């Protein structure tokens, strides 16, 4: 939705795409009397604008994604951007400073900026900042976690097949004192036009607490690394992105962290797709968990809500079926040998139930150990507490069964 200037400037701003997809990325200015929109942030920032508000001085306060973190910037009518606040600045009375802001209220003259901030090892709290000094925490909603041992991430870059640097976050077991190689799970984010960030995430924390190394790679197609990186996977799901995943596995093995014989992969939505793709392409993973994945991109297109997103990547399956078939795990499912847990919301209209049913039937046909869990009343993201707990318990139990002696 476009927002008009509070100073009666004859312009409106909105966040949009440079072409017809895949998702809005840049901040645009549009003359109210007509004309061509102008991209304000492609050159000055080249990072996704996650939220913005007008300030009384006619400038815009924007929150932008930048790798695993996000930051506040002030953008003027000509697109000049100045940093306002890095949420990761050391904070008073707060052991783990926030790296990610989720929502904010703008600062007026003499009024501090208020935002909700969090980090992987620190669930969200409210903060105030004058934009110059360290943010001050003003809530204690999640103080329970002060008595819980949470894994703190190590952020690292690794080289992938084409020489690009890919960023990832590593969690190590919270109680580990051994130098032995660890069972390791690669967690793949949803999207694909999404990303992992330095925010509290329960799957990885539970796995780390259970003795696993956990790695979150922001493979090509992720947001937060510029527009060109975001669109590298167009028409190439399971191609360069999968090679980025395997390069992450190699990186962890070479560092002596991951046991090469005890690798696992998991994810939800596109992360589920990548888990399904992985088991049809390699036997290096000894266990996989796919949540709300996509096994057949052509039937996905015909049954999902909002197929225009998939169309941006592959066109129409009625006219260009080759790309859909080439990038569908079901095409290669006869190669699968990896024990696979499949999790699915019964009422999911984003990645419908049929996608998981197709995969389950195929894996059973070829004698692959598999389970299909269908959560009643649930859509694409689970919401009922008992289902959320069950999903976490099943995930850890599945990896314990297949990755631990």
């Amino acid at each position: 939705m476009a927002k008009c200037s509070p100073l009666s400037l004859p312009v409106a701003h909105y966040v949009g795409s440079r072409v017809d997809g895949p998702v809005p990325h840049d901040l645009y200015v549009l003359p109210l009397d007509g004309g061509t929109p102008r991209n304000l942030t492609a050159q000055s920032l080249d990072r996704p604008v996650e939220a913005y508000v007008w300030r009384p001085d006619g400038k815009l306060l924007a929150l932008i994604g930048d790798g695993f973190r996000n930051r506040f910037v002030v953008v003027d009518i000509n697109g000049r951007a100045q940093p306002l606040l890095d949420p990761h600045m050391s904070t008073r009375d707060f052991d783990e400073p926030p790296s990610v802001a989720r929502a904010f209220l703008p600062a007026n003259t003499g009024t501090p900026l208020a935002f909700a901030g969090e980090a992987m090892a620190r669930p969200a709290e409210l903060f105030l900042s004058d934009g110059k000094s360290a943010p001050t925490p003003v809530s204690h909603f999640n103080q329970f976690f002060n008595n819980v041992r949470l894994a703190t991430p190590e952020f690292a870059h690794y080289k992938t097949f084409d020489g690009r640097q890919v960023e990832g976050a590593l969690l190590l077991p919270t109680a580990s004192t051994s130098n032995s190689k660890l069972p390791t799970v690669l967690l793949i984010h949803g999207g694909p036009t999404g990303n992992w960030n330095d925010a509290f995430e329960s799957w990885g924390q539970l796995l780390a607490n259970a003795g696993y190394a956990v790695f979150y790679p922001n493979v090509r197609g992720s947001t937060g690394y510029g527009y060109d990186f975001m669109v590298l996977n167009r028409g190439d799901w399971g191609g360069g992105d999968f090679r980025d995943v395997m390069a992450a596995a190699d990186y962890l093995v070479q560092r002596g962290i991951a046991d090469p014989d005890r690798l696992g992969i998991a994810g939800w939505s596109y992360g589920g797709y990548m888990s399904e793709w992985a088991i049809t392409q390699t036997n290096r993973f000894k266990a996989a968990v796919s949540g709300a994945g996509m096994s057949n991109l052509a039937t996905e297109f015909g049954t999902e809500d909002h197929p225009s997103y998939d169309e941006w990547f592959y066109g129409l399956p009625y006219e260009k079926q080759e790309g859909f078939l080439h990038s569908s795990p079901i095409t290669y499912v006869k190669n699968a040998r990896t024990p696979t847990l499949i999790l699915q919301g019964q009422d999911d209209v984003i990645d419908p139930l049929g996608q998981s049913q197709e995969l389950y039937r195929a894996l059973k046909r070829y004698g692959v150990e598999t389970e299909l869990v269908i959560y009643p009343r649930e859509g694409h993201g689970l919401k009922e507490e008992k289902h959320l707990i069950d999903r976490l318990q099943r995930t850890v139990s599945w990896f314990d069964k297949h990755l631990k002696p």
Side-chain angles (χ1 to χ4, degrees), residues 65 220 284 289:
R220 66 192 61 214
R284 289 181 62 184
V289 177

Side-chain angles (χ1 to χ4, degrees), residues 127-302:
F127 294 84
L128 292 178
S129 176
D130 59 8
K132 299 176 183 179
S133 56
T136 301
V138 294
S139 72
H140 303 281
F141 298 120
N142 289 303
Q143 61 183 353
F144 165 80
F145 285 94
N146 293 339
N147 300 315
V148 176
R149 182 179 292 179
L150 297 176
T152 300
E154 172 197 334
F155 298 100
H157 288 82
Y158 64 92
K159 184 180 291 186
T160 190
F161 68 97
D162 59 357
R164 295 178 189 273
Q165 292 289 317
V166 177
E167 188 178 22
L170 173 66
L171 298 184
L172 294 175
T174 51
S176 176
T177 58
S178 171
N179 292 324
S180 60
K181 296 178 180 179
L182 297 166
T184 300
V185 177
L186 274 66
L187 287 181
I188 313 302
H189 65 68
T193 318
N195 74 323
W196 289 120
N197 51 36
D198 186 10
F200 182 76
E201 195 280 316
S202 56
W203 285 40
Q205 289 292 347
L206 280 176
L207 287 166
N209 186 263
Y212 294 89
V214 181
F215 195 68
Y216 302 83
N218 274 338
V219 300
R220 66 192 61 214
S222 299
T223 58
Y225 301 92
Y227 180 85
D228 290 343
F229 189 83
M230 181 181 71
V231 301
L232 277 176
N233 62 345
R234 188 173 191 180
D236 190 42
W237 293 13
D241 50 2
F242 175 64
R243 296 177 73 179
D244 291 345
V245 170
M246 299 312 297
D250 293 338
Y251 166 75
L252 296 170
V253 170
Q254 291 166 5
R255 280 188 58 181
I257 295 170
D259 183 339
D261 296 321
R262 293 190 292 165
L263 294 174
I265 187 169
W268 198 266
S269 193
Y270 167 76
Y273 162 84
M274 187 56 69
S275 299
E276 297 175 9
W277 180 262
I279 67 170
T280 70
Q281 304 298 310
T282 180
N283 292 322
R284 289 181 62 184
F285 295 107
K286 306 308 178 186
V289 177
S290 171
M294 297 160 278
S295 61
N296 186 330
L297 297 186
T299 56
E300 160 91 354
F301 185 94

